[in-house]
Amino acid sequence: MKSEWEVPATLKRSPRVLLKLRCPSMTTPDPGLFDKIVNLSKRRGIVYPSAEIYGGFRSTYDYGPIGVLMLRNVKDAWWRSMVQMRQDVVGLDASILSPPAVWEASGHLSNFTDPLVDCRNCGARHRQDKLKKKDLCPTCGVSGELTEPRNFNLMFKTTAGPVEGAGAEVYLRPETAQGMFINYANVQYTTRKKPPFGIAQIGKSFRNEITPGNFVFRTREFEQMEMEFFVPPAEAPQWYEYWCQTRLQWYIDHGIPTDQLMLRPHEDDELSHYSLGTSDVEYLFPWGWDELEGIANRGDFDLTQHAKAAGAKLEYYDQVTKERYTPYVIEPAAGATRTMMAFLMAAYEEEQVNDDTRTVLRLHHRIAPYKVAVLPLSKKPELSGPATELANELSGRWMCDYDQTQAIGKRYRRQDEIGTPFCVTYDFETLEDKSVTIRERDSMEQVRIPLDAVRGWLAERLDE
Ligand code: ATP
C-alpha cells in the first residue's frame, strides 16, 4: 500500500493548478447563519462569552462542555492526519513564554505589526489593511477623518520573576512556529529524521489584535495547529504545492463542502517578510471569504536567522550527497478555534420535518462532540439500569451521552442539535429481544441491532 507521506504525482504539476480552485462566485453565504451559530453555542454549551458574570471580557471566550469536546476533536483530527498517519512528521509541545532574543531573530519585534488608524471623529481604532474603503470609518461612517497608519506590534509583553525592567521581559508567543525552529536541531538529532521531515505542534498563541471580532474568528487568545516541514531547498516548490493541496483536502475530508472552500495565492505585496510564496485556505464565512489557514514557503529565513542570532548550527549534512545546506521550510499554519467555527457553520442546517423544524449539525463523525447517545425509552429502573450500563460500556471507547428526560422525539432533536451521529434507544422490547434501535442523525433512519452487536456496528462507522 502506498503510504500517505510519499511524494505524490501531483508534485509534478505546475503551481498554477492551484488557481483552478479559486472560484469565488459559488454559494452565497447565509447572512443569518452567524447569529444562529452564536445563539446555538451559548444555548448548548459550545462557546460562552468569557467572564460573563462580570459583564464579559471583550472578545474572549470559554469553551463549554460541548465546545471543549468539539475543539479537542478538531485538534485530534489534525494531529491524526499530520502526525499519527505519517512517518515523516513528529510532534512537539514548546513553551508559551519566550525571551526577546527569539522574537528579535524571528523578525517579530520589528515586523509583527498591523497598521493602526484612529478616527478623529469618533475615536474608533481600525486595522487599515482590513478596511473596505481606506478613508472611511466603518464605525461612524465619516470619511477623511482617519489618521495616517502607525505600526502596532501585536505581541503581548510581560515580565518573568519578581524584578521588572531590562532582562526580565518575556513575550507570550504570537505563533507556535518559533518553538519548532529553535528546537530543529534537538528534534533532528534525537529522532534521526532527514529532510524532508516535519515538526508539528498545537497550542495557544496570543496576539493583541487591533480589532478582534466575528465571534471566535479573531480573538486575542486562540489555538493554532502548525507544522514546519524542513526540505532540501530544491524540493521546496513541489512540497509547497503538495501541502497546499493536502491541507485543502483535509477540510473537504472533514465535511466542508468544496464550494465553500478555496485556495487563494497571495499577491506579491501581501507576502510576509519571510515568505517566498503563500496561499490561504479560505472558507466562505457569512461575511464573505476569509482565511482558515496559511501555507507558506518560508525559505531558509527562520533557521538562518536563529543560527546567526544564537550562534547555533542549524544545517543538515547529507551523508549521501556530501552536501551541507540549511533546509527550507514549508509551513501549513491553521487556527483550531477558527476551524471549529467553520465546521460549525458548514454543518448547521434547519430542516422541515413534518410540522417541525429540526436543527441539525451534520458534523463529520470525527469532529462530532458526542459519537453516540444512549436513550432509555422510560426512566423506570428496569430500563434506565441496563441502559446506563450500556452507556458506561460504550464510554470506554467513545464520548457517549446519556439522556433519559422528556419525550424521545425531543431527545433526538437535542442530539441532532449538537451533531451526535447515532442514538441508541433502549426500550421495553429490549428486555425481551436483547436488541436496541439505532437512529442515524442525517437520514433519521432506524435499525434494530442485537445488543451484543452494538459495539461492532458503531466501530464500523465511527472508527474508520
Ligand atoms: P489574519 O490575516 O486573519 O490576521 P494571519 O495571516 O496573521 O491571520 P497566521 O499568522 O498565518 O494568520 O496564523 C495562522 C492561522 O492562525 C490563521 O490562518 C488563523 O486560522 C489562525 N489565527 C491567526 N490569528 C488569529 C486570531 N487572532 N484569532 C483566531 N485565530 C487566528
Side-chain angles (χ1 to χ4, degrees):
M1 203 181 76
K2 192 168 174 294
S3 72
E4 208 185 295
W5 51 274
E6 271 174 53
V7 181
T10 54
L11 287 192
K12 312 260 172 345
R13 292 199 314 215
S14 134
R16 256 171 296 143
V17 168
L18 303 178
L19 294 172
K20 283 201 190 143
L21 293 158
R22 302 183 65 183
C23 34
S25 59
M26 303 176 281
T27 337
T28 338
D30 168 6
L33 182 60
F34 183 82
D35 288 342
K36 288 174 184 167
I37 293 297
V38 174
N39 292 340
L40 178 75
S41 295
K42 175 79 198 303
R43 185 156 45 84
R44 295 308 311 267
I46 301 173
V47 178
Y48 305 123
S50 196
E52 203 181 9
I53 59 166
Y54 287 97
F57 179 42
R58 192 170 166 242
S59 292
T60 53
Y61 294 94
D62 298 337
Y63 290 76
I66 303 296
V68 72
L69 297 177
M70 186 170 168
L71 184 57
R72 189 177 278 243
N73 292 342
V74 171
K75 294 184 281 184
D76 285 350
W78 185 88
W79 192 266
R80 179 178 184 271
S81 52
M82 297 297 276
V83 182
Q84 184 183 327
M85 294 184 65
R86 303 184 64 101
Q87 300 304 316
D88 58 355
V89 179
V90 292
L92 183 78
D93 192 354
S95 69
I96 286 173
L97 294 177
S98 38
V102 170
W103 306 109
E104 178 80 55
S106 68
H108 280 77
L109 282 182
S110 44
N111 291 317
F112 199 61
T113 57
D114 278 338
L116 169 71
V117 290
D118 291 288
C119 174
R120 292 189 201 91
N121 182 53
C122 72
R125 296 192 141 171
H126 304 287
R127 215 175 119 176
Q128 193 206 33
D129 58 327
K130 296 282 177 190
L131 291 178
K132 287 212 175 83
K133 279 195 183 164
K134 286 286 172 254
D135 68 340
L136 179 80
C137 172
T139 307
C140 65
V142 172
S143 48
E145 287 300 325
L146 296 179
T147 57
E148 282 301 301
R150 286 172 287 138
N151 283 337
F152 175 74
N153 196 297
L154 300 182
M155 280 197 294
F156 280 101
K157 185 156 78 171
T158 184
T159 47
V163 188
E164 283 194 27
E169 277 174 3
V170 290
Y171 289 90
L172 300 187
R173 65 182 180 197
E175 60 176 29
T176 66
Q178 299 305 319
M180 272 87 91
F181 298 132
I182 61 180
N183 278 292
Y184 162 78
N186 274 341
V187 173
Q188 198 275 320
Y189 178 73
T190 50
T191 62
R192 304 168 61 83
K193 294 279 181 209
K194 296 181 181 140
F197 81 95
I199 310 178
Q201 175 167 212
I202 298 178
K204 286 236 164 157
S205 292
F206 303 83
R207 296 183 188 179
N208 199 2
E209 297 279 1
I210 297 169
T211 43
N214 281 342
F215 197 38
V216 297
F217 178 83
R218 188 179 303 287
T219 48
R220 296 198 169 109
E221 175 183 345
F222 55 98
E223 282 200 82
Q224 288 188 304
M225 312 183 285
E226 297 192 295
M227 197 273 287
E228 309 305 322
F229 200 69
F230 301 94
V231 302
E235 292 178 23
Q238 294 98 304
W239 280 110
Y240 169 63
E241 193 192 333
Y242 167 79
W243 281 112
C244 283
Q245 305 284 357
T246 303
R247 291 304 306 149
L248 182 71
Q249 191 60 42
W250 184 85
Y251 294 94
I252 297 167
D253 291 346
H254 289 84
I256 302 204
T258 45
D259 62 354
Q260 294 174 19
L261 281 171
M262 73 162 160
L263 199 55
R264 187 185 68 80
H266 279 205
E267 305 294 339
D268 286 349
D269 62 355
E270 241 185 303
L271 292 175
S272 311
H273 60 282
Y274 52 74
S275 174
L276 302 178
T278 298
S279 292
D280 287 345
V281 176
E282 295 198 346
Y283 172 68
L284 190 57
F285 285 97
W287 58 89
W289 291 100
D290 222 329
E291 177 181 336
L292 278 181
E293 166 161 359
I295 298 112
N297 176 355
R298 302 178 67 119
D300 62 3
F301 177 83
D302 307 277
L303 291 184
T304 307
Q305 285 294 103
H306 286 301
K308 253 194 278 168
K313 269 213 157 115
L314 302 178
E315 295 170 326
Y316 179 74
Y317 179 67
D318 189 323
Q319 306 274 1
V320 180
T321 61
K322 309 283 180 225
E323 258 184 295
R324 188 179 294 284
Y325 62 86
T326 302
Y328 274 27
V329 171
I330 310 301
E331 174 196 72
T337 35
R338 214 179 254 193
T339 297
M340 172 174 149
M341 182 174 169
F343 280 141
L344 276 174
M345 289 181 160
Y348 186 94
E349 205 171 303
E350 285 171 8
E351 187 183 58
Q352 203 60 34
V353 182
N354 304 325
D355 299 338
D356 193 20
T357 307
R358 82 162 178 149
T359 300
V360 54
L361 286 184
R362 297 189 193 277
L363 291 169
H364 186 281
H365 63 262
R366 227 173 267 139
I367 305 296
Y370 285 105
K371 311 300 175 199
V372 55
V374 174
L375 315 174
L377 206 60
S378 142
K379 277 187 218 165
K380 291 199 171 129
E382 60 261 48
L383 288 194
S384 63
T388 308
E389 260 174 50
L390 175 65
N392 288 344
E393 190 207 318
L394 297 177
S395 296
R397 183 129 170 207
W398 301 286
M399 275 311 300
C400 174
D401 200 6
Y402 175 84
D403 187 2
Q404 60 175 30
T405 56
Q406 296 190 307
I408 190 72
K410 282 212 166 127
R411 283 184 269 163
Y412 283 150
R413 292 287 182 274
R414 280 208 289 266
Q415 294 299 332
D416 289 342
E417 215 178 35
I418 56 167
T420 309
F422 301 109
C423 290
V424 180
T425 309
Y426 204 104
D427 51 34
F428 286 102
E429 250 181 86
T430 307
L431 302 174
E432 308 297 322
D433 69 359
K434 300 280 174 270
S435 293
V436 285
T437 299
I438 303 187
R439 176 216 187 240
E440 200 264 331
R441 176 197 66 200
D442 295 341
S443 62
M444 295 187 286
E445 267 168 24
Q446 306 194 358
V447 283
R448 193 84 182 158
I449 304 270
L451 256 179
D452 57 10
V454 170
R455 262 177 91 105
W457 192 95
L458 288 172
E460 259 174 46
R461 285 150 182 87
L462 293 172
D463 289 357
E464 73 23 292

